[in-house]
Amino acid sequence: MGILSRASYVIRSKVNALLNRAEDPTETLDYSYEQMRDELQDVKQGIADLTTQKKRLEIQKRKLEENVEKHNRQAREAVQQDRDDLARKALEKKKSKMSQIEELEGQIAELNNTQEQLVDKKNELQNRIEEFRTKKETMKARYEAAEASSRVSEAMTGVGDEMEDVSRSIERAEERTEEMEARAEAMDELQDSGAFEDALSDKDDIDRELDGLTTNSEVDAELETLKGELGKAEAPAEDANGESATDEEIDAELDDLQADLDESDLEADLDEEIDVETGVEADVELEESEVDADEPRN
């Protein structure tokens, strides 16, 4: 295969591939249907033209037949007047018109045959167009259903181009979000460690450490004051094994203390209610005894 032949083959294959990707079956079917309808219209137009031509020949034939009758009358009149020469001329014209009529009849017969053939082809073509229209609509419905199913499947599996772009966008957003979260945590860690100084503060590392010690001292002092008010001794900072108590253990002990306080408050409220009820009953009995004493004895 020569260079030009190979180049031509490659170009044709590329163009064919482009056409296959650009071709829409529904549009192709509609275009084919319109082409067939145009062809049917051309056949109908041809039948109309043929019929018009046949009618013209029939009109011409009627005129010739009228001339034949006219020449017959002329020949009779000429014979009656003993003018054989005129009668001969009239008969000659009559014969010429008869020949033309025969030719016209042959042409009209051919046109009739052609017209019948065209009508049969027109009917056949029309039937084929109706069948094609039914198949076209069926194929279009099947293609649209298959296309919709394919789009849904691609959307669910993420195979389609659009879903691929969406997936990539989500991945880029997740990567960017993770990067920003890591950067925020890094900034907080560096801020807490004092590696970065606050631009709005004039304190250095020593000032910040002293502020922390001051805060801790204030908390310890307030704790000692609270213990003194409640009459509690200083709680041990270590457990039975000599290990420092964890935050979870301290929270558990605080919850137990709160529960004991709530129970003590509940018992105190119940004792107070009982005392109130006892006092009310004693007052009622005293009033009843005073009423009995005031009543006259029989």
Side-chain angles (χ1 to χ4, degrees), residues 62 156 165 195 244 265:
R62 286 196 297 269
M156 293 179 64
D165 295 338
S244 300
D265 293 339

Side-chain angles (χ1 to χ4, degrees), residues 192-195 197 201-215:
D192 294 337
S193 65
E197 296 182 356
S201 176
D202 56 354
K203 295 181 179 181
D204 54 10
D205 295 340
I206 299 175
D207 293 332
R208 282 192 291 272
E209 291 181 4
L210 291 175
D211 291 340
L213 294 174
T214 302
T215 301

Side-chain angles (χ1 to χ4, degrees), residues 63-239:
K63 290 181 178 180
L64 291 174
E65 291 175 347
E66 292 175 357
N67 290 330
V68 169
E69 294 295 330
K70 177 182 177 181
H71 294 320
N72 281 331
R73 291 194 302 270
Q74 290 176 349
R76 290 191 184 96
E77 292 178 359
V79 171
Q80 290 176 0
Q81 295 177 7
D82 296 330
R83 294 290 305 274
D84 294 340
D85 54 341
L86 293 178
R88 184 181 294 276
K89 290 181 180 180
L91 292 173
E92 290 176 355
K93 290 182 179 180
K94 174 186 175 182
K95 186 178 180 180
S96 176
K97 298 296 189 294
M98 291 294 294
S99 298
Q100 295 178 10
I101 290 173
E102 290 178 0
E103 293 179 359
L104 291 176
E105 287 177 349
Q107 295 178 3
I108 291 172
E110 291 179 358
L111 292 177
N112 278 328
N113 293 330
T114 305
Q115 181 180 357
E116 291 176 357
Q117 293 175 0
L118 289 177
V119 170
D120 291 339
K121 291 182 179 179
K122 186 266 296 182
N123 293 332
E124 183 180 358
L125 180 59
Q126 191 167 3
N127 292 332
R128 291 180 59 186
I129 290 174
E130 292 297 325
E131 293 177 358
F132 180 78
R133 184 177 68 85
T134 303
K135 292 182 180 180
K136 174 180 72 72
E137 296 299 329
T138 303
M139 291 299 299
K140 286 177 63 176
R142 289 179 57 190
Y143 177 80
E144 291 174 357
E147 186 180 17
S149 178
S150 177
R151 286 199 301 267
V152 171
S153 299
E154 290 179 357
M156 293 179 64
T157 57
V159 178
D161 296 336
E162 296 181 358
M163 293 305 299
E164 184 178 359
D165 295 338
V166 172
S167 300
R168 290 179 179 177
S169 300
I170 294 175
E171 291 178 358
R172 289 194 297 269
E174 289 179 351
E175 293 176 357
R176 185 63 176 172
T177 302
E178 292 176 356
E179 181 181 357
M180 294 304 295
E181 290 175 350
R183 185 174 181 83
E185 292 179 359
M187 293 298 103
D188 292 339
E189 182 178 349
L190 292 174
Q191 185 70 26
D192 294 337
S193 65
F196 289 164
E197 296 182 356
D198 190 356
L200 300 179
S201 176
D202 56 354
K203 295 181 179 181
D204 54 10
D205 295 340
I206 299 175
D207 293 332
R208 282 192 291 272
E209 291 181 4
L210 291 175
D211 291 340
L213 294 174
T214 302
T215 301
N216 293 331
S217 300
E218 292 176 354
V219 172
D220 293 338
E222 185 176 357
L223 178 60
E224 294 296 333
T225 302
L226 182 60
K227 290 180 179 180
E229 292 177 355
L230 297 177
K232 301 290 184 179
E234 183 177 358
E238 297 181 353
D239 58 5

